[in-house]
PDB file of all heavy atoms in Angstrom:
ATOM      1  N   LEU A   9     -35.985 -54.649  35.687  1.00 95.00           N
ATOM      2  CA  LEU A   9     -34.978 -55.369  36.473  1.00 95.00           C
ATOM      3  C   LEU A   9     -34.553 -56.599  35.696  1.00 95.00           C
ATOM      4  O   LEU A   9     -35.381 -57.448  35.365  1.00 95.00           O
ATOM      5  CB  LEU A   9     -35.509 -55.785  37.840  1.00 95.00           C
ATOM      6  CG  LEU A   9     -34.595 -56.718  38.643  1.00 95.00           C
ATOM      7  CD1 LEU A   9     -33.267 -56.029  38.976  1.00 95.00           C
ATOM      8  CD2 LEU A   9     -35.292 -57.206  39.913  1.00 95.00           C
ATOM      9  N   LEU A 139     -26.885 -52.375  45.645  1.00 96.00           N
ATOM     10  CA  LEU A 139     -28.114 -51.593  45.714  1.00 96.00           C
ATOM     11  C   LEU A 139     -28.837 -52.064  46.968  1.00 96.00           C
ATOM     12  O   LEU A 139     -29.576 -53.046  46.945  1.00 96.00           O
ATOM     13  CB  LEU A 139     -28.972 -51.814  44.469  1.00 96.00           C
ATOM     14  CG  LEU A 139     -30.315 -51.093  44.428  1.00 96.00           C
ATOM     15  CD1 LEU A 139     -30.132 -49.590  44.553  1.00 96.00           C
ATOM     16  CD2 LEU A 139     -31.078 -51.433  43.161  1.00 96.00           C
ATOM     17  N   ALA A 140     -28.566 -51.386  48.081  1.00 95.00           N
ATOM     18  CA  ALA A 140     -29.077 -51.815  49.388  1.00 95.00           C
ATOM     19  C   ALA A 140     -30.357 -51.054  49.727  1.00 95.00           C
ATOM     20  O   ALA A 140     -31.441 -51.442  49.295  1.00 95.00           O
ATOM     21  CB  ALA A 140     -28.003 -51.626  50.453  1.00 95.00           C
ATOM     22  N   THR A 141     -30.253 -49.948  50.453  1.00 93.00           N
ATOM     23  CA  THR A 141     -31.444 -49.131  50.733  1.00 93.00           C
ATOM     24  C   THR A 141     -31.939 -48.428  49.476  1.00 93.00           C
ATOM     25  O   THR A 141     -33.108 -48.066  49.383  1.00 93.00           O
ATOM     26  CB  THR A 141     -31.134 -48.064  51.794  1.00 93.00           C
ATOM     27  OG1 THR A 141     -30.148 -47.162  51.279  1.00 93.00           O
ATOM     28  CG2 THR A 141     -30.628 -48.707  53.082  1.00 93.00           C
ATOM     29  N   GLY A 142     -31.029 -48.211  48.534  1.00 93.00           N
ATOM     30  CA  GLY A 142     -31.374 -47.473  47.319  1.00 93.00           C
ATOM     31  C   GLY A 142     -31.162 -45.979  47.441  1.00 93.00           C
ATOM     32  O   GLY A 142     -31.295 -45.245  46.453  1.00 93.00           O
ATOM     33  N   VAL A 146     -30.629 -43.488  44.249  1.00 96.00           N
ATOM     34  CA  VAL A 146     -31.643 -42.463  43.990  1.00 96.00           C
ATOM     35  C   VAL A 146     -31.016 -41.071  43.968  1.00 96.00           C
ATOM     36  O   VAL A 146     -31.339 -40.243  43.103  1.00 96.00           O
ATOM     37  CB  VAL A 146     -32.775 -42.537  45.043  1.00 96.00           C
ATOM     38  CG1 VAL A 146     -33.643 -41.282  45.019  1.00 96.00           C
ATOM     39  CG2 VAL A 146     -33.638 -43.771  44.793  1.00 96.00           C
ATOM     40  N   ALA A 167     -28.428 -56.711  44.550  1.00 97.00           N
ATOM     41  CA  ALA A 167     -29.508 -55.796  44.918  1.00 97.00           C
ATOM     42  C   ALA A 167     -30.360 -56.428  46.008  1.00 97.00           C
ATOM     43  O   ALA A 167     -30.486 -57.649  46.104  1.00 97.00           O
ATOM     44  CB  ALA A 167     -30.367 -55.471  43.702  1.00 97.00           C
ATOM     45  N   ALA A 168     -30.954 -55.574  46.834  1.00 97.00           N
ATOM     46  CA  ALA A 168     -31.938 -56.011  47.831  1.00 97.00           C
ATOM     47  C   ALA A 168     -33.323 -55.601  47.349  1.00 97.00           C
ATOM     48  O   ALA A 168     -33.479 -54.568  46.691  1.00 97.00           O
ATOM     49  CB  ALA A 168     -31.647 -55.365  49.185  1.00 97.00           C
ATOM     50  N   PRO A 169     -34.342 -56.378  47.678  1.00 97.00           N
ATOM     51  CA  PRO A 169     -35.709 -56.005  47.258  1.00 97.00           C
ATOM     52  C   PRO A 169     -36.100 -54.607  47.727  1.00 97.00           C
ATOM     53  O   PRO A 169     -36.771 -53.870  46.996  1.00 97.00           O
ATOM     54  CB  PRO A 169     -36.577 -57.080  47.922  1.00 97.00           C
ATOM     55  CG  PRO A 169     -35.672 -58.250  48.104  1.00 97.00           C
ATOM     56  CD  PRO A 169     -34.313 -57.672  48.384  1.00 97.00           C
ATOM     57  N   GLU A 170     -35.653 -54.234  48.927  1.00 96.00           N
ATOM     58  CA  GLU A 170     -35.980 -52.904  49.447  1.00 96.00           C
ATOM     59  C   GLU A 170     -35.395 -51.798  48.570  1.00 96.00           C
ATOM     60  O   GLU A 170     -36.035 -50.766  48.338  1.00 96.00           O
ATOM     61  CB  GLU A 170     -35.449 -52.749  50.880  1.00 96.00           C
ATOM     62  CG  GLU A 170     -36.089 -53.674  51.894  1.00 96.00           C
ATOM     63  CD  GLU A 170     -35.328 -54.990  52.069  1.00 96.00           C
ATOM     64  OE1 GLU A 170     -34.655 -55.435  51.106  1.00 96.00           O
ATOM     65  OE2 GLU A 170     -35.410 -55.563  53.172  1.00 96.00           O
ATOM     66  N   GLY A 171     -34.166 -52.021  48.083  1.00 96.00           N
ATOM     67  CA  GLY A 171     -33.525 -51.027  47.228  1.00 96.00           C
ATOM     68  C   GLY A 171     -34.198 -50.918  45.871  1.00 96.00           C
ATOM     69  O   GLY A 171     -34.392 -49.809  45.351  1.00 96.00           O
ATOM     70  N   ILE A 172     -34.548 -52.061  45.291  1.00 97.00           N
ATOM     71  CA  ILE A 172     -35.259 -52.065  44.008  1.00 97.00           C
ATOM     72  C   ILE A 172     -36.589 -51.326  44.143  1.00 97.00           C
ATOM     73  O   ILE A 172     -36.956 -50.483  43.310  1.00 97.00           O
ATOM     74  CB  ILE A 172     -35.502 -53.509  43.533  1.00 97.00           C
ATOM     75  CG1 ILE A 172     -34.170 -54.196  43.189  1.00 97.00           C
ATOM     76  CG2 ILE A 172     -36.460 -53.539  42.340  1.00 97.00           C
ATOM     77  CD1 ILE A 172     -33.507 -53.692  41.930  1.00 97.00           C
ATOM     78  N   GLU A 173     -37.330 -51.629  45.213  1.00 96.00           N
ATOM     79  CA  GLU A 173     -38.631 -50.993  45.423  1.00 96.00           C
ATOM     80  C   GLU A 173     -38.493 -49.482  45.587  1.00 96.00           C
ATOM     81  O   GLU A 173     -39.246 -48.698  44.998  1.00 96.00           O
ATOM     82  CB  GLU A 173     -39.305 -51.598  46.660  1.00 96.00           C
ATOM     83  CG  GLU A 173     -40.681 -51.003  46.936  1.00 96.00           C
ATOM     84  CD  GLU A 173     -41.318 -51.576  48.187  1.00 96.00           C
ATOM     85  OE1 GLU A 173     -40.729 -52.491  48.795  1.00 96.00           O
ATOM     86  OE2 GLU A 173     -42.397 -51.086  48.567  1.00 96.00           O
ATOM     87  N   HIS A 174     -37.514 -49.059  46.380  1.00 96.00           N
ATOM     88  CA  HIS A 174     -37.302 -47.631  46.615  1.00 96.00           C
ATOM     89  C   HIS A 174     -36.913 -46.912  45.328  1.00 96.00           C
ATOM     90  O   HIS A 174     -37.476 -45.849  44.999  1.00 96.00           O
ATOM     91  CB  HIS A 174     -36.214 -47.452  47.677  1.00 96.00           C
ATOM     92  CG  HIS A 174     -35.889 -46.023  48.004  1.00 96.00           C
ATOM     93  ND1 HIS A 174     -36.861 -45.077  48.234  1.00 96.00           N
ATOM     94  CD2 HIS A 174     -34.695 -45.378  48.135  1.00 96.00           C
ATOM     95  CE1 HIS A 174     -36.287 -43.904  48.496  1.00 96.00           C
ATOM     96  NE2 HIS A 174     -34.984 -44.058  48.431  1.00 96.00           N
ATOM     97  N   LEU A 175     -35.970 -47.486  44.578  1.00 97.00           N
ATOM     98  CA  LEU A 175     -35.526 -46.865  43.336  1.00 97.00           C
ATOM     99  C   LEU A 175     -36.676 -46.742  42.342  1.00 97.00           C
ATOM    100  O   LEU A 175     -36.894 -45.675  41.757  1.00 97.00           O
ATOM    101  CB  LEU A 175     -34.362 -47.663  42.746  1.00 97.00           C
ATOM    102  CG  LEU A 175     -33.590 -47.045  41.573  1.00 97.00           C
ATOM    103  CD1 LEU A 175     -32.203 -47.680  41.473  1.00 97.00           C
ATOM    104  CD2 LEU A 175     -34.309 -47.235  40.243  1.00 97.00           C
ATOM    105  N   HIS A 176     -37.432 -47.821  42.164  1.00 95.00           N
ATOM    106  CA  HIS A 176     -38.475 -47.813  41.138  1.00 95.00           C
ATOM    107  C   HIS A 176     -39.734 -47.076  41.578  1.00 95.00           C
ATOM    108  O   HIS A 176     -40.557 -46.710  40.735  1.00 95.00           O
ATOM    109  CB  HIS A 176     -38.793 -49.245  40.701  1.00 95.00           C
ATOM    110  CG  HIS A 176     -37.776 -49.791  39.760  1.00 95.00           C
ATOM    111  ND1 HIS A 176     -37.510 -51.143  39.614  1.00 95.00           N
ATOM    112  CD2 HIS A 176     -36.933 -49.165  38.889  1.00 95.00           C
ATOM    113  CE1 HIS A 176     -36.555 -51.313  38.718  1.00 95.00           C
ATOM    114  NE2 HIS A 176     -36.190 -50.128  38.268  1.00 95.00           N
ATOM    115  N   ARG A 177     -39.874 -46.828  42.868  1.00 95.00           N
ATOM    116  CA  ARG A 177     -40.976 -45.981  43.320  1.00 95.00           C
ATOM    117  C   ARG A 177     -40.743 -44.533  42.867  1.00 95.00           C
ATOM    118  O   ARG A 177     -41.677 -43.808  42.535  1.00 95.00           O
ATOM    119  CB  ARG A 177     -41.092 -46.040  44.843  1.00 95.00           C
ATOM    120  CG  ARG A 177     -42.294 -45.268  45.393  1.00 95.00           C
ATOM    121  CD  ARG A 177     -42.541 -45.563  46.848  1.00 95.00           C
ATOM    122  NE  ARG A 177     -41.403 -45.217  47.686  1.00 95.00           N
ATOM    123  CZ  ARG A 177     -40.644 -46.096  48.325  1.00 95.00           C
ATOM    124  NH1 ARG A 177     -40.903 -47.393  48.223  1.00 95.00           N
ATOM    125  NH2 ARG A 177     -39.632 -45.692  49.084  1.00 95.00           N
ATOM    126  N   ILE A 178     -39.471 -44.115  42.821  1.00 95.00           N
ATOM    127  CA  ILE A 178     -39.132 -42.739  42.446  1.00 95.00           C
ATOM    128  C   ILE A 178     -38.800 -42.630  40.967  1.00 95.00           C
ATOM    129  O   ILE A 178     -39.189 -41.664  40.298  1.00 95.00           O
ATOM    130  CB  ILE A 178     -37.963 -42.242  43.310  1.00 95.00           C
ATOM    131  CG1 ILE A 178     -38.364 -42.289  44.792  1.00 95.00           C
ATOM    132  CG2 ILE A 178     -37.547 -40.822  42.921  1.00 95.00           C
ATOM    133  CD1 ILE A 178     -37.241 -42.006  45.750  1.00 95.00           C
ATOM    134  N   PHE A 179     -38.090 -43.630  40.441  1.00 96.00           N
ATOM    135  CA  PHE A 179     -37.693 -43.619  39.031  1.00 96.00           C
ATOM    136  C   PHE A 179     -38.127 -44.936  38.381  1.00 96.00           C
ATOM    137  O   PHE A 179     -37.306 -45.839  38.164  1.00 96.00           O
ATOM    138  CB  PHE A 179     -36.174 -43.432  38.903  1.00 96.00           C
ATOM    139  CG  PHE A 179     -35.677 -42.130  39.442  1.00 96.00           C
ATOM    140  CD1 PHE A 179     -34.934 -42.082  40.612  1.00 96.00           C
ATOM    141  CD2 PHE A 179     -35.960 -40.935  38.784  1.00 96.00           C
ATOM    142  CE1 PHE A 179     -34.472 -40.880  41.116  1.00 96.00           C
ATOM    143  CE2 PHE A 179     -35.500 -39.724  39.285  1.00 96.00           C
ATOM    144  CZ  PHE A 179     -34.765 -39.694  40.452  1.00 96.00           C
ATOM    145  N   PRO A 180     -39.413 -45.074  38.073  1.00 94.00           N
ATOM    146  CA  PRO A 180     -39.932 -46.365  37.576  1.00 94.00           C
ATOM    147  C   PRO A 180     -39.373 -46.792  36.229  1.00 94.00           C
ATOM    148  O   PRO A 180     -39.434 -47.977  35.887  1.00 94.00           O
ATOM    149  CB  PRO A 180     -41.443 -46.130  37.494  1.00 94.00           C
ATOM    150  CG  PRO A 180     -41.604 -44.638  37.437  1.00 94.00           C
ATOM    151  CD  PRO A 180     -40.474 -44.069  38.228  1.00 94.00           C
ATOM    152  N   LEU A 189     -30.415 -60.831  43.010  1.00 97.00           N
ATOM    153  CA  LEU A 189     -31.378 -60.168  43.878  1.00 97.00           C
ATOM    154  C   LEU A 189     -31.411 -60.970  45.168  1.00 97.00           C
ATOM    155  O   LEU A 189     -31.938 -62.078  45.213  1.00 97.00           O
ATOM    156  CB  LEU A 189     -32.760 -60.124  43.224  1.00 97.00           C
ATOM    157  CG  LEU A 189     -33.869 -59.457  44.041  1.00 97.00           C
ATOM    158  CD1 LEU A 189     -33.551 -57.991  44.305  1.00 97.00           C
ATOM    159  CD2 LEU A 189     -35.211 -59.595  43.335  1.00 97.00           C
TER     160      LEU A 189
END
Side-chain angles (χ1 to χ4, degrees):
L9 171 63
L139 178 58
T141 64
V146 165
E170 295 92 332
I172 293 289
E173 181 182 356
H174 179 46
L175 190 159
H176 282 154
R177 185 169 60 248
I178 300 172
F179 297 109
L189 180 62

